[in-house]
Amino acid sequence: MFDTVKSLKRVDRATYEQRLPELRVELLNAQFDLREADFPVVVLVAGNDRIGCNEAVRTLHEWMDARYLPTYPFVSATEEERERPRFWRYWRVLPRRGQMALLVGGWAHGLIGDRVRRRLNKKAFDRQIEHAIAFERSLANEGTLLLKFWLHLEEKDLEGRLERARNDPDENWRVTAMDAALYERWDEVMPVADRFVTSTHTEQNPWQVISSGDTRTRSLRIAESVLEALRSGPPKPPAAPAVPDPTDGQPPPALESADLTTSTTKARYEKDLPKWQRRLRRLVTRARKERLSPVLVFEGWDAAGKGGAIRRITAALDVTDYRVVPIAAPNEAERNRHYLWRFWTRLPRDGHVLIFDRSWYGRVLVERVEGFAAPEAWTRAYEEIRDFESQLTESGSPLLKFWLHIDPSTQLERFQARETTPYKKYKITDDDYRNRGRWEEYVGAVDRMIAETSTKRAPWHVVPANDKRSARITVLKTICRALEKALDK
Amino acid sequence: MFDTVKSLKRVDRATYEQRLPELRVELLNAQFDLREADFPVVVLVAGNDRIGCNEAVRTLHEWMDARYLPTYPFVSATEEERERPRFWRYWRVLPRRGQMALLVGGWAHGLIGDRVRRRLNKKAFDRQIEHAIAFERSLANEGTLLLKFWLHLEEKDLEGRLERARNDPDENWRVTAMDAALYERWDEVMPVADRFVTSTHTEQNPWQVISSGDTRTRSLRIAESVLEALRSGPPKPPAAPAVPDPTDGQPPPALESADLTTSTTKARYEKDLPKWQRRLRRLVTRARKERLSPVLVFEGWDAAGKGGAIRRITAALDVTDYRVVPIAAPNEAERNRHYLWRFWTRLPRDGHVLIFDRSWYGRVLVERVEGFAAPEAWTRAYEEIRDFESQLTESGSPLLKFWLHIDPSTQLERFQARETTPYKKYKITDDDYRNRGRWEEYVGAVDRMIAETSTKRAPWHVVPANDKRSARITVLKTICRALEKALDK
């Protein structure tokens, strides 16, 4: 991958000096126009020339309006970052539409560094590469302009650069132990870097490998590339046809197989509820000590009893142990970013239970059925969601997903009951009644969702909920059993 | 302070059970109405009954809609929190208008705990109490509905509660070492708690001291108080007359004393610039090692050269060392919170330089002159800003504030020059010309700002900037000298 760099032509001083004044004007103007654009820009600057990466970013700061170039140097992860899946720290800083962010090192240096230091074994490294590819693909598909620069130095040039920097009193403070290590462990680092860059060099998100030996050439190539990209905007994502719902050869639709006649007597419920709550409480205390962070996702029909089921969970826990995140329409900051951003940024620290009352599945449910997401967007979402959830479970979050299932007549009864109950009245709107007209469409969307996103580590649990009592007990039981399994590992 | 609690009447079971169903309906409805309200709600639950605090919050979760009660249990600070001033973690979670947050322990437990553990000496504790009072006052003045509950237990009741909890297999997991310590060190803890609660029990933000011995009484009192407050909204802040600008007995106006004829030759500048940049670079490297986080604030007339001065600083530094924060009109999330929220939440981690291109001083400049802030709001702001800045400097951030000063004719020349320079053209709008009509009003606002907010640890530096070169050198010099002073300590 890095061999190609040798054949690239150097930019001579005259060309550079002739081009520069105009280039700077063009860059500033393109940056100004970006504010009105409907896409965000992420520029990842990485490479085996760490000093060069910093220089390149400094040049961009000088040539562009540095006030609108928030820059994130990803050095060692903070405690809050270490307690979340690896990509949390990158999601956290994603810019909104009309904004640009410079990420220095980013997931490239993070993964290569951890592999070289043996914090990732080969299998884990490969898995993280898959996550990196999925992350970049999803950003691009959702309209982010993503540019990736790899600043490459040959071994002898790196040696020379370190030597010169060490002898220059204005520069030697920049030479860190890591720079020295990079050179000294060249034979270990470069195969890992090559593997990373080659694997993540996709048609949609290619690396631009740039020779870092000559400052003028490097600066000009990066700046021209940024300029061109700002002007043309993100490339159209590859035409991915919307995949129609499969019609046969599938497992029986999940909803149809749910037994809605399931029920529990009041007496039985009053005995079982405290029993399972006590069990849950003890398990959560253990989970906290083991630093597991269970994530519970509640989806289901309106009036299926999500809120009631959640209350039976939280009543058993200490307030320091959990957080409930209700998901409604996205706010302004959320609307202007990738649809998963608001979920990623809310992930819990180690040892906390996070409960989503509705979730990222809105993408393939309400957004699909109501037409808020285009067919290619929601069909793509299954894969994006699988990747997101696998990062959660791989980083130690048991993930449980519940679909609370009722039939249309039960729903109608509950709507009508709510209208006469003063403290629940506010939950009913005209929309709720209107949505009933699309019941069958939603059934199709739910069945497909369950088929596409039930994985071994994050299965869906369809909970018959015509009888609220049995639904609540089922939910509690399911969580307890999953936690027991996770804790026994 | 805690003696009053003994005389309060218990709520008997009959009263409780009669009131409860209606109370819950009313709470839910009040919570629903809050969504449309134009104020945020912060409920602080603290006390020497830690188990009781958690129970009380759980009860609120059960009686209200827990999805809209984000709850922040402030246990030990994370690394990211420890690297900022103490109140950062509370600012960070402040709700927006129409939202309510429950803070458990909060600054009360934080300060009392740190004093008892001798992490704060008496003087530092007193200072933090002042910050707490200022924080609460400012929240209330800016329209936050702030409720503070102190759940009090007598020594013998705490003993009994611990005993019972330890013997109850469903409860003993809740008893932490801290609960036991609280009881064992009663004679140390209670005077500190009493001092804190008494000092922060102000007319505007009183504590509601509630006997925690009887669960029904406690739950009902808290819930009724929350309900009443939600219904009536935040009290009107005490009538604080706008304080007119002083007219005499003042130091000479700062702007008038600035010598705008100051200038530097090009030759001199080209010698001085790299010299001071090199010095700055070395100082910032040292500051980073000492974990100092310099905060630089740039204010000044339009076209005074803020951007150019900032670029001469950043060009000297490594991109990992600094962040530039441009301040423009607040976005939606910012508009719906306290005006200092967007500055607090951007404070740097230890060892980073943070540069504000315009700042919180907008409150007493543009917002004052253009009438966006009411007179009582901007006159109050001086005190709020002094408190904010003192928290910054006390936590190890050298704070430098620059006013870049030019005269109106220089400004006009620069506007006109910009209109013919292609890459700066975008900086000029009709507003810029319009603002010139209010020059004298701005002069008055700047003079008052400097008089009110120049403190020993955070003085204003008025930089004559008709000559850009000399302005840039002055800024660099001033930063270097301040850093040297801070590092010598």
Side-chain angles (χ1 to χ4, degrees):
Chain A
M1 180 83 205
F2 302 133
D3 288 345
T4 56
V5 92
K6 289 177 194 157
S7 57
L8 294 172
K9 238 189 97 187
R10 275 200 168 199
V11 175
D12 62 58
R13 178 185 287 268
T15 313
Y16 177 84
E17 285 181 352
Q18 200 200 342
R19 174 66 181 133
L20 191 56
E22 202 182 44
L23 175 63
R24 291 179 67 165
V25 171
E26 289 169 356
L27 272 174
L28 282 166
N29 287 333
Q31 197 184 3
F32 184 66
D33 292 339
L34 174 63
R35 298 195 213 176
E36 301 297 314
D38 67 346
F39 56 88
V41 183
V42 172
V43 179
L44 175 61
V45 180
N48 68 350
D49 181 12
R50 290 167 31 93
I51 298 175
C53 288
N54 282 339
E55 281 173 3
V57 170
R58 228 176 18 248
T59 303
L60 285 177
H61 277 212
E62 198 186 323
W63 292 357
M64 301 178 76
D65 190 335
R67 295 177 300 169
Y68 303 101
L69 276 184
T71 300
Y72 303 95
F74 287 96
V75 284
S76 53
T78 66
E79 181 191 34
E80 295 197 18
E81 290 168 342
R82 286 191 305 271
E83 294 193 348
R84 269 100 172 180
R86 174 177 288 266
F87 280 77
W88 183 75
R89 59 196 307 221
Y90 312 117
W91 277 95
R92 203 180 173 192
V93 302
L94 289 183
R96 47 179 290 160
R97 286 178 230 275
Q99 295 183 343
M100 176 169 173
L102 286 179
L103 277 57
V104 190
W107 51 100
H109 288 190
L111 286 175
I112 295 168
D114 280 355
R115 175 68 189 122
V116 171
R117 283 185 223 105
R118 297 284 183 267
R119 286 186 200 157
L120 288 172
N121 64 25
K122 191 165 171 328
K123 202 179 141 201
F125 181 60
D126 287 348
R127 190 77 189 106
Q128 292 295 338
I129 286 179
E130 283 171 38
H131 292 317
I133 295 170
F135 176 54
E136 296 177 4
R137 182 174 55 225
S138 187
L139 286 185
N141 281 339
E142 289 290 314
T144 295
L145 172 54
L146 174 62
L147 293 173
K148 305 190 296 180
F149 295 104
W150 180 270
L151 309 193
H152 188 73
L153 268 189
E154 294 297 308
E155 190 172 5
K156 63 174 181 356
D157 295 330
L158 182 59
E159 184 185 10
R161 177 185 286 278
L162 284 176
E163 201 55 37
R164 270 195 308 284
R166 281 193 182 120
N167 294 329
D168 179 344
D170 283 348
E171 286 295 333
N172 57 15
W173 60 277
R174 288 199 210 272
V175 182
T176 64
M178 217 184 292
D179 294 312
L182 185 64
Y183 170 65
E184 280 152 23
R185 300 175 68 178
W186 181 270
D187 293 336
E188 280 170 84
V189 175
M190 289 317 292
V192 174
D194 191 42
R195 165 109 179 77
F196 179 82
V197 173
T198 309
S199 311
T200 54
H201 182 69
T202 61
E203 197 179 331
Q204 190 178 17
N205 294 303
W207 281 97
Q208 301 187 45
V209 179
I210 289 185
S211 167
S212 195
D214 180 69
T215 309
R216 278 195 298 272
T217 309
R218 182 184 67 203
S219 302
L220 213 59
R221 281 200 203 288
I222 293 176
E224 294 279 14
S225 172
V226 168
L227 175 63
E228 193 197 316
L230 284 179
R231 281 177 170 170
S232 47
K236 256 177 86 89
V243 184
D245 292 340
T247 45
D248 49 45
Q250 288 293 308
L255 295 194
E256 221 169 79
S257 6
D259 178 7
L260 287 180
T261 63
T262 317
S263 75
T264 302
T265 63
K266 194 164 183 225
R268 174 96 219 177
Y269 175 71
E270 283 174 358
K271 235 184 86 186
D272 279 0
L273 181 68
K275 185 182 90 181
W276 286 104
Q277 285 184 324
R278 199 175 309 132
R279 194 149 154 192
L280 177 65
R281 182 183 302 167
R282 291 178 185 175
L283 286 162
V284 166
T285 307
R286 276 181 63 199
R288 183 164 195 168
K289 281 184 192 148
E290 304 277 334
R291 305 196 72 65
L292 291 184
S293 310
V295 175
L296 313 179
V297 172
F298 284 85
E299 294 281 356
W301 300 103
D302 289 333
K306 295 188 292 295
I310 291 172
R311 263 197 303 282
R312 297 320 180 280
I313 298 167
T314 58
L317 306 179
D318 216 44
V319 286
T320 53
D321 287 332
Y322 67 88
R323 183 164 304 169
V324 180
V325 178
I327 297 299
N331 67 28
E332 192 230 9
E334 294 163 350
R335 274 195 309 276
N336 280 297
R337 288 182 172 87
H338 191 290
Y339 73 96
L340 287 176
W341 180 77
R342 60 174 170 156
F343 305 105
W344 264 100
T345 50
R346 274 160 158 151
L347 292 183
R349 303 184 52 202
D350 282 352
H352 291 77
V353 180
L354 188 64
I355 302 173
F356 283 101
D357 185 344
R358 302 200 185 275
S359 69
W360 44 93
Y361 283 101
R363 188 71 166 185
V364 295
L365 296 173
V366 58
E367 290 187 43
R368 165 186 173 168
V369 174
E370 304 293 334
F372 302 148
E376 60 276 18
W378 62 257
T379 54
R380 184 168 70 217
Y382 299 117
E383 170 58 33
E384 291 164 339
I385 288 173
R386 281 193 298 265
D387 183 74
F388 170 46
E389 295 185 351
S390 68
Q391 293 193 53
L392 272 177
T393 54
E394 285 164 19
S395 75
S397 292
L399 173 61
L400 284 100
K401 307 182 291 196
F402 295 100
W403 177 266
L404 266 54
H405 191 46
I406 53 176
D407 57 36
S409 59
T410 303
Q411 186 186 50
L412 188 60
E413 277 166 34
R414 290 187 186 170
F415 280 3
Q416 286 162 349
R418 280 185 182 183
E419 293 203 331
T420 59
T421 316
Y423 64 96
K424 287 189 173 169
K425 201 168 169 182
Y426 70 80
K427 287 192 174 173
I428 294 292
T429 66
D430 287 349
D431 271 358
D432 295 314
Y433 283 102
R434 202 179 47 77
N435 290 341
R436 290 174 48 79
R438 302 194 144 169
W439 191 277
E440 280 312 314
E441 283 176 76
Y442 274 101
V443 167
V446 173
D447 278 333
R448 170 106 183 246
M449 166 187 89
I450 291 174
E452 295 266 12
T453 61
S454 264
T455 58
K456 204 177 148 210
R457 294 179 73 172
W460 272 99
H461 302 276
V462 177
V463 180
N466 271 3
D467 179 75
K468 286 185 180 181
R469 290 190 290 256
S470 91
R472 290 169 189 167
I473 299 294
T474 305
V475 165
L476 284 167
K477 264 191 202 174
T478 309
I479 301 170
C480 287
R481 285 177 181 153
L483 285 184
E484 273 159 11
K485 223 173 118 184
L487 285 164
D488 282 347
K489 270 190 197 161
Chain B
M1 181 83 203
F2 302 132
D3 288 344
T4 55
V5 91
K6 290 177 197 160
S7 57
L8 293 173
K9 238 188 97 190
R10 276 199 168 197
V11 176
D12 62 59
R13 178 186 287 268
T15 312
Y16 177 83
E17 285 182 352
Q18 200 201 339
R19 174 66 181 134
L20 191 57
E22 203 183 42
L23 175 63
R24 291 179 67 167
V25 171
E26 288 169 357
L27 273 173
L28 282 165
N29 287 333
Q31 196 184 3
F32 184 66
D33 293 339
L34 174 63
R35 298 195 213 173
E36 300 298 314
D38 67 346
F39 57 88
V41 182
V42 172
V43 178
L44 174 62
V45 180
N48 70 348
D49 181 11
R50 290 167 31 92
I51 298 175
C53 288
N54 282 339
E55 282 173 3
V57 170
R58 229 178 15 248
T59 303
L60 286 176
H61 278 211
E62 198 186 322
W63 292 358
M64 300 178 76
D65 190 335
R67 294 177 301 170
Y68 302 103
L69 276 185
T71 300
Y72 303 96
F74 286 97
V75 285
S76 53
T78 67
E79 180 190 35
E80 295 197 16
E81 290 169 341
R82 287 191 305 271
E83 293 193 349
R84 271 99 173 183
R86 174 177 288 266
F87 280 76
W88 184 75
R89 58 197 309 222
Y90 312 117
W91 277 95
R92 203 181 175 192
V93 301
L94 289 183
R96 48 179 290 162
R97 285 179 230 276
Q99 294 183 344
M100 177 170 172
L102 286 180
L103 278 58
V104 190
W107 52 99
H109 289 190
L111 287 174
I112 295 168
D114 281 355
R115 176 66 189 125
V116 171
R117 282 185 222 104
R118 297 287 183 268
R119 286 186 200 156
L120 289 171
N121 64 25
K122 189 161 175 331
K123 201 177 143 201
F125 181 60
D126 288 349
R127 189 80 189 105
Q128 292 296 338
I129 286 179
E130 284 172 37
H131 292 318
I133 295 170
F135 176 54
E136 296 177 5
R137 183 174 53 226
S138 188
L139 286 185
N141 281 339
E142 289 291 315
T144 295
L145 171 54
L146 173 62
L147 294 174
K148 306 190 296 180
F149 296 103
W150 180 270
L151 310 193
H152 187 72
L153 268 190
E154 295 298 308
E155 190 172 7
K156 62 174 179 359
D157 295 331
L158 182 58
E159 184 186 8
R161 176 185 286 280
L162 283 175
E163 201 55 36
R164 269 195 309 283
R166 281 193 183 119
N167 293 329
D168 179 345
D170 282 349
E171 286 296 333
N172 56 16
W173 61 276
R174 289 198 210 270
V175 182
T176 63
M178 214 184 292
D179 294 311
L182 184 64
Y183 170 65
E184 280 152 23
R185 299 174 69 179
W186 181 270
D187 293 337
E188 281 171 84
V189 175
M190 289 316 292
V192 175
D194 191 44
R195 164 113 180 75
F196 179 82
V197 174
T198 309
S199 311
T200 53
H201 182 69
T202 61
E203 197 179 330
Q204 190 178 17
N205 294 302
W207 281 99
Q208 301 186 44
V209 179
I210 289 185
S211 167
S212 197
D214 179 69
T215 309
R216 279 193 300 271
T217 309
R218 182 184 67 203
S219 302
L220 212 60
R221 281 199 202 289
I222 294 176
E224 294 279 13
S225 172
V226 168
L227 175 63
E228 194 197 315
L230 285 178
R231 281 177 171 170
S232 48
K236 256 178 85 89
V243 185
D245 293 340
T247 46
D248 49 45
Q250 287 293 309
L255 294 194
E256 221 168 80
S257 7
D259 178 8
L260 286 180
T261 64
T262 318
S263 74
T264 301
T265 62
K266 193 161 185 230
R268 174 95 221 178
Y269 175 72
E270 283 174 358
K271 234 183 88 188
D272 279 359
L273 182 67
K275 185 181 91 181
W276 287 103
Q277 285 183 324
R278 199 175 310 130
R279 193 148 156 193
L280 177 65
R281 183 182 303 167
R282 291 180 185 175
L283 286 163
V284 166
T285 308
R286 276 182 61 200
R288 184 164 195 167
K289 280 184 192 147
E290 305 277 334
R291 306 196 72 64
L292 291 184
S293 309
V295 176
L296 313 178
V297 172
F298 285 84
E299 293 282 355
W301 300 104
D302 289 334
K306 294 186 293 294
I310 291 171
R311 264 197 302 283
R312 297 323 179 279
I313 298 166
T314 57
L317 306 180
D318 215 43
V319 286
T320 53
D321 287 332
Y322 67 87
R323 182 164 305 168
V324 181
V325 178
I327 297 299
N331 66 27
E332 192 231 10
E334 294 164 348
R335 275 195 309 277
N336 280 297
R337 286 181 173 87
H338 191 289
Y339 72 97
L340 288 175
W341 180 77
R342 60 175 170 155
F343 306 106
W344 265 101
T345 49
R346 273 159 159 152
L347 293 183
R349 303 184 51 199
D350 282 353
H352 290 78
V353 181
L354 187 65
I355 302 174
F356 282 100
D357 185 343
R358 303 201 186 276
S359 69
W360 45 93
Y361 282 101
R363 188 72 165 185
V364 297
L365 296 172
V366 59
E367 290 187 43
R368 165 186 173 167
V369 174
E370 304 294 334
F372 302 149
E376 60 276 18
W378 63 256
T379 55
R380 186 170 66 218
Y382 300 118
E383 171 58 33
E384 290 164 339
I385 288 173
R386 281 194 298 265
D387 183 74
F388 170 45
E389 294 185 350
S390 67
Q391 293 193 54
L392 272 178
T393 54
E394 286 163 18
S395 74
S397 292
L399 172 62
L400 284 100
K401 306 182 291 196
F402 296 100
W403 177 266
L404 267 55
H405 191 46
I406 54 176
D407 57 37
S409 59
T410 303
Q411 186 187 52
L412 187 60
E413 278 166 33
R414 291 188 187 168
F415 280 2
Q416 286 162 349
R418 280 184 182 183
E419 293 201 332
T420 59
T421 315
Y423 65 95
K424 287 189 173 170
K425 201 169 171 182
Y426 69 81
K427 285 192 174 176
I428 294 292
T429 65
D430 287 349
D431 271 358
D432 295 315
Y433 282 103
R434 202 180 47 80
N435 289 343
R436 290 173 49 79
R438 303 195 142 168
W439 191 276
E440 280 312 313
E441 282 176 78
Y442 273 102
V443 167
V446 173
D447 278 335
R448 170 106 184 247
M449 167 188 88
I450 291 174
E452 295 265 12
T453 61
S454 263
T455 58
K456 204 177 149 210
R457 295 179 73 173
W460 272 99
H461 302 276
V462 177
V463 179
N466 272 1
D467 180 75
K468 286 185 182 180
R469 292 190 288 256
S470 92
R472 289 168 188 167
I473 299 295
T474 305
V475 165
L476 284 167
K477 263 190 202 175
T478 310
I479 301 171
C480 286
R481 285 179 180 152
L483 285 185
E484 273 158 11
K485 222 173 119 184
L487 286 163
D488 283 348
K489 269 190 195 161

